[in-house]
Amino acid sequence: DQQVKQNSPSLSVQEGRISILNCDYTNSMFDYFLWYKKYPAEGPTFLISISSIKDKNEDGRFTVFLNKSAKHLSLHIVPSQPGDSAVYFCAASSFGGAQKLVFGQGTRLTINP
Amino acid sequence: NAGVTQTPKFQVLKTGQSMTLQCAQDMNHNSMYWYRQDPGMGLRLIYYSASEGTTDKGEVPNGYNVSRLNKREFSLRLESAAPSQTSVYFCASSRQGFFSGGKLFFGSGTQLSVL
């Protein structure tokens, strides 16, 4: 059972426009959510996170939105740049549970010039 | 500052062969993890070590063993490799488990093919 789902395997966006990556989760015990970015032949790197007590967290061009009632979060990148082309993983964990971070399948974002 | 170092970067095995993937971190982190990445499956946790001297199973531990050699090093062993273990393996570390905000620092991965 896939507890964290990224239903879009790929996304193509024009440079300068907004990129929106989506993530859904099924486990209501999750209370901390993260986005990781991965370039080819490299390991994932942490991008931004949000706890369940917030509905928005912003860091420069990156904003994560959390809708707890819908069990949905999204990552907005504005404006999108060519260097943003990568695979983005959504991940979730529970402070009250075991030390496990559950990842989604990933979305490959391509920024076109 | 090397961060998390994995060796080897690439490996080809025959079914039934054994091998050990090595991982070392120089950030004085307490917790270390092994993940595998497969197409359409994301990253799945194989084993983790919350602190030196402890190890626990993750989501997909079958066919693997681990050793937390010391605070810096966490190795993953395949005793009898199977084609289903063809994957990209990532080692990661964090300051204090997932409760440190879930910030994991990953190595660059090991591409393993089992024929």
Side-chain angles (χ1 to χ4, degrees), chain A residues 1-2 32 34 36 38 41-46 49 87 89 93-106, chain B residues 31 33 35 37 40-43 45 48 50 57-59 90 96-109:
Chain A
D1 60 336
Q2 193 80 25
Y32 201 83
L34 306 93
Y36 280 79
K38 184 185 178 305
E42 294 184 10
T45 55
F46 170 79
S49 62
V87 176
F89 290 99
S93 71
S94 168
F95 281 109
Q99 301 198 26
K100 297 177 183 176
L101 193 60
V102 181
F103 284 83
Q105 307 95 312
Chain B
S31 303
Y33 316 84
Y35 282 88
Q37 183 193 3
M41 302 294 290
L43 291 152
L45 183 63
Y48 66 98
K57 296 179 180 179
E59 185 182 354
F90 289 100
Q96 191 67 46
F98 295 121
F99 306 116
S100 62
K103 284 188 188 178
L104 272 61
F105 294 81
F106 285 85
S108 58

Side-chain angles (χ1 to χ4, degrees), chain B residues 1-9 21-27 32 34 72-74 91-93 105-110:
Chain B
N1 189 357
V4 179
T5 303
Q6 290 183 236
T7 55
K9 292 191 181 301
L21 280 65
Q22 306 287 351
C23 175
Q25 53 90 10
D26 62 3
M27 295 174 283
M32 298 185 74
W34 278 104
R72 290 187 65 248
E73 298 173 287
F74 189 39
C91 177
S93 70
F105 294 81
F106 285 85
S108 58
T110 296

Side-chain angles (χ1 to χ4, degrees), chain B residues 3-71:
Chain B
V4 179
T5 303
Q6 290 183 236
T7 55
K9 292 191 181 301
F10 302 95
Q11 184 71 48
V12 179
L13 293 176
K14 294 181 179 178
T15 297
Q17 287 185 315
S18 62
M19 78 160 296
T20 300
L21 280 65
Q22 306 287 351
C23 175
Q25 53 90 10
D26 62 3
M27 295 174 283
N28 200 35
H29 284 170
N30 289 307
S31 303
M32 298 185 74
Y33 316 84
W34 278 104
Y35 282 88
R36 59 178 287 175
Q37 183 193 3
D38 302 292
M41 302 294 290
L43 291 152
R44 292 181 294 170
L45 183 63
I46 305 171
Y47 270 94
Y48 66 98
S49 171
S51 61
E52 187 178 355
T54 68
T55 60
D56 285 287
K57 296 179 180 179
E59 185 182 354
V60 287
N62 292 342
Y64 305 95
N65 284 303
V66 291
S67 295
R68 183 74 184 266
L69 304 171
N70 47 55
K71 189 172 184 178

